[in-house]
Amino acid sequence: MTATTILPDDLPPSLLVSRLRLKDILKTLPQECFQKDMRKAWLSALMSLLMVSLGYLGLTIAPWFLLPILWIFTGTALTGFFVVGHDCGHRSFAKRQWVNDLVGHLVMLPLIYPFHSWRILHNHHHKHTNKMDVDNAWQPFRPEFYARLGWMGQWGYQALRGRLWWVGSIAHWAGLHFNPANFEAKDRAKVWLSVGAVLVFAAIAFPSLIATTGIWGFVKFWLLPWLVFHFWMSTFTLVHHTVPEIDFQEPEQWDAAKAQLSGTVHCEYPAWVEFLCHHINVHVPHHLSTAIPSYNLRMAHRSLQENWGSYLYEREFSWALMKEITDYCHLYHPERNYQTFQEFHQKGAAR
């Protein structure tokens, strides 16, 4: 392991912002973490293809009472497709850019996810993680902005930050990825390419599926697995940066090292979910460097635990965790990180 002038866990938290830089952390990671292995990359893609195929085979032949299990399995396997595309978007899947772009488009087509649209927006999230008014992933509303929303807007936001968090990814997908106005002029040609690809795919695949299997076939083979995929996408991305202990920072106070090391949650999910989703929830090393392929994230995280353990937030997925997040992490608060909707409305009623 490469030596560094800063001794990680010897640093008191008060010095984290003032002295620590991302490169100090990255120097402590084994160099093998950053190495692409084409065999592992293609095996991960083939594994996802096999799991998705098994899921659809099961949906074709299984009796009705097994369908819910198969919808969950197939939707989770489709999330693995997205993780392969995720590596492609960060150029950590293949060494050649055209291979990353081709594979990224192919694995995201069944999800109707425009590859370049997602890639550009997601890289923006990495560049501005947990930066208020700039980050585009589950940023809490400021109370004053929330107050200006009508009752419909407040209700919708309450639902997404509450028990309907699992549809948040659908709102993000539909609201941001298909509108070229959300992108700089230099990126719009690629955005149009990706949007066009998924629209053509949908225009061919959906009528064909309905024509051969009926409306129920469309619901059974595409819609319900797709909803399970978005359940995981909503859950993963919410938990990645949202627990009561982790703050969003004002732009003038934002620090890259703090945001990427201590502003990201490592969450352990059931082993079958981790397997099907290529361990993408080993998320701290991914935020320190997007060059680390998904199959090396565990190795990188073990190194972080050894060297930077006191700065890491580690949780285990449970419904209690989701209740904690959706009960408390509602609106931005500069001192306490979050305030609840109830606290906000009680203050308003007291005035």
Side-chain angles (χ1 to χ4, degrees):
M1 189 174 293
T2 307
T4 178
T5 56
I6 293 181
L7 299 176
D9 274 333
D10 290 341
L11 271 177
S14 61
L15 293 182
L16 178 64
V17 173
S18 61
R19 291 184 55 189
L20 187 60
R21 295 168 297 178
L22 276 176
K23 67 179 183 180
D24 295 319
I25 308 167
L26 293 174
K27 284 179 181 178
T28 68
L29 295 177
Q31 287 304 303
E32 304 94 284
C33 295
F34 303 93
Q35 294 174 2
K36 296 184 180 74
D37 185 321
M38 291 301 95
R39 183 183 67 85
K40 290 181 179 178
W42 285 107
L43 280 176
S44 67
L46 290 173
M47 185 275 286
S48 283
L49 180 61
L50 175 61
M51 294 298 105
V52 170
S53 300
L54 285 174
Y56 280 118
L57 176 62
L59 289 172
T60 302
I61 65 175
W64 66 268
F65 56 85
L66 291 179
L67 290 181
I69 296 173
L70 287 163
W71 285 325
I72 293 170
F73 176 86
T74 307
T76 309
L78 285 169
T79 311
F81 263 10
F82 188 90
V83 176
V84 173
H86 176 270
D87 272 14
C88 292
H90 288 305
R91 312 314 193 194
S92 60
F93 179 83
K95 296 177 182 179
R96 291 181 173 85
Q97 181 171 316
W98 71 266
V99 177
N100 285 308
D101 287 349
L102 177 61
V103 174
H105 276 90
L106 289 175
V107 295
M108 289 193 177
L109 280 179
L111 307 171
I112 317 300
Y113 231 116
F115 172 72
H116 282 307
S117 304
W118 168 82
R119 177 182 64 81
I120 294 163
L121 291 173
H122 185 65
N123 283 332
H124 179 88
H125 159 65
H126 273 273
K127 188 176 180 180
H128 303 284
T129 302
N130 289 25
K131 185 187 294 186
M132 279 300 295
D133 305 322
V134 184
D135 194 0
N136 58 15
W138 287 105
Q139 179 185 149
F141 282 3
R142 292 183 183 273
E144 54 270 26
F145 176 78
Y146 173 79
R148 293 196 298 268
L149 297 176
W151 71 269
M152 183 70 75
Q154 290 189 358
W155 178 87
Y157 181 69
Q158 288 175 19
L160 292 179
R161 299 299 300 209
R163 296 299 188 263
L164 292 182
W165 89 86
W166 49 273
V167 300
S169 176
I170 298 176
H172 189 265
W173 163 79
L176 296 179
H177 295 80
F178 293 87
N179 184 359
N182 292 328
F183 302 87
E184 296 181 20
K186 64 182 179 64
D187 295 320
R188 287 176 188 164
K190 290 183 177 180
V191 169
W192 276 117
L193 171 67
S194 295
V195 170
V198 298
L199 292 180
V200 169
F201 177 87
I204 296 172
F206 290 172
S208 300
L209 183 60
I210 293 170
T212 54
T213 65
I215 295 296
W216 169 238
F218 174 78
V219 172
K220 174 182 175 180
F221 291 109
W222 186 80
L223 181 60
L224 288 172
W226 183 79
L227 289 175
V228 172
F229 154 70
H230 274 290
F231 168 86
W232 287 124
M233 285 292 292
S234 299
T235 302
F236 291 172
T237 55
L238 177 62
V239 174
H240 281 166
H241 303 281
T242 311
V243 292
E245 300 87 354
I246 289 180
D247 63 334
F248 274 69
Q249 302 153 44
E250 296 290 351
E252 62 274 12
Q253 300 169 339
W254 184 83
D255 176 82
K258 181 178 187 293
Q260 309 297 11
L261 179 64
S262 297
T264 304
V265 179
H266 171 89
C267 187
E268 288 288 344
Y269 289 76
W272 67 273
V273 176
E274 297 283 1
F275 172 74
L276 289 175
C277 298
H278 306 292
H279 303 277
I280 193 56
N281 293 293
V282 184
H283 208 62
V284 181
H286 172 63
H287 261 270
L288 293 171
S289 174
T290 58
I292 301 174
S294 57
Y295 46 81
N296 288 336
L297 290 173
R298 290 275 177 195
M299 179 199 309
H301 189 73
R302 286 193 293 269
S303 175
L304 291 174
Q305 287 175 314
E306 293 172 5
N307 292 296
W308 304 93
S310 61
Y311 298 104
L312 301 179
Y313 283 95
E314 299 187 330
R315 304 294 292 266
E316 185 171 338
F317 174 74
S318 66
W319 296 114
L321 172 63
M322 301 313 300
K323 185 176 186 301
E324 177 186 1
I325 292 172
T326 55
D327 279 352
Y328 181 76
C329 300
H330 297 160
L331 297 166
Y332 173 71
H333 193 285
E335 286 85 34
R336 295 189 289 113
N337 302 338
Y338 290 97
Q339 63 174 302
T340 67
F341 295 122
Q342 184 179 13
E343 290 171 332
F344 173 84
H345 288 292
Q346 284 177 345
K347 288 178 183 176
R351 292 190 185 122

